[in-house]
Amino acid sequence: MLELERVLQALKDGGVIAYPTEAVYGLGCDPDNETAVMALLAIKQRTVDKGLILVAANYSQLLPYVDDKAIPPEKRYQIFSSWPGHISWILPASKAAPKWITGQFNSIAVRVSAHPVVHALCADYGKPLVSTSANLSGCPAITKRDELELHLGNKLSAIMPGSLGGATQPSQIRHAVTGDIIRS
């Protein structure tokens, strides 16, 4: 797929991309590239202290960013049985997790997506991607490709083609230790 190759090259070059997710268009970049993350945050007009979600094709891609041993044993089944799926979990961050991803927290929000486009991007890139809604901070998320191109197209390195999934809301965010629902 030529488009996938173009998007993967944009990621390797430190670009910010947009892609369809379960419910909305997402913005993404390489989570280990601080310059790319800062560019993404500038597009969203969002501060770094809030932290960002990482999305992956499988849990093993998230292991460099998550302190797996610190996940409470009694919570592991609930977390892992929800993936791949539409739930993001706040897990303890590893010491190697970049501060430009975790923000002010010692935890990290992560998700293993079942969306075929997201899964393919992460699988072919070989690592997780930053996943945040494609919109200015505080504004409604974008659900239409033409709207995405109109508002953000000139700020992006590439847009991955594909359809949104069937969800009506962005992913639920749950805290793994407390079980609290942070975003429903």
Side-chain angles (χ1 to χ4, degrees):
M1 172 192 268
L2 188 58
E3 284 298 314
L4 177 59
E5 291 171 15
R6 196 168 71 76
V7 172
L8 293 173
Q9 190 59 54
L11 289 168
K12 290 175 190 167
D13 293 342
V16 177
I17 66 161
Y19 54 93
T21 70
E22 292 87 349
V24 300
Y25 277 95
L27 296 180
C29 65
D30 185 325
D32 297 312
N33 184 326
E34 183 177 8
T35 302
V37 173
M38 292 303 158
L40 181 146
L41 290 171
I43 290 168
K44 279 193 68 79
Q45 300 175 5
R46 179 178 166 153
T47 61
V48 70
D49 62 313
K50 291 184 176 183
L52 292 161
I53 296 173
L54 295 184
V55 66
N58 56 60
Y59 181 64
S60 65
Q61 288 187 331
L62 297 168
L63 288 174
Y65 308 91
V66 171
D67 183 355
D68 185 66
K69 292 182 175 129
I71 298 171
E74 67 276 9
K75 301 289 184 179
R76 293 177 80 81
Y77 177 78
Q78 184 181 17
I79 295 164
F80 298 127
S81 67
S82 73
W83 290 336
H86 193 51
I87 297 177
S88 297
W89 288 91
I90 297 174
L91 301 178
S94 72
K95 294 201 183 325
K99 281 296 180 193
W100 55 84
I101 298 297
T102 61
Q104 65 181 333
F105 306 102
N106 59 1
S107 56
I108 189 165
V110 295
R111 178 172 86 251
V112 176
S113 179
H115 191 283
V117 172
V118 177
H119 186 273
L121 275 171
C122 295
D124 289 356
Y125 195 54
K127 64 191 297 187
L129 298 177
V130 169
S131 183
T132 185
S133 58
N135 60 291
L136 299 182
S137 191
C139 293
I142 295 175
T143 58
K144 295 188 179 353
R145 169 99 186 213
D146 58 343
E147 191 179 335
L148 174 69
E149 290 173 356
L150 176 68
H151 294 290
L152 300 177
N154 64 338
K155 298 175 182 173
L156 302 172
S157 299
I159 299 174
M160 184 66 190
S163 299
L164 297 180
T168 58
Q169 296 290 323
S171 67
Q172 182 182 86
I173 301 175
R174 300 188 73 163
H175 196 284
V177 175
T178 65
D180 292 343
I181 296 175
I182 308 301
R183 178 176 77 190
S184 56

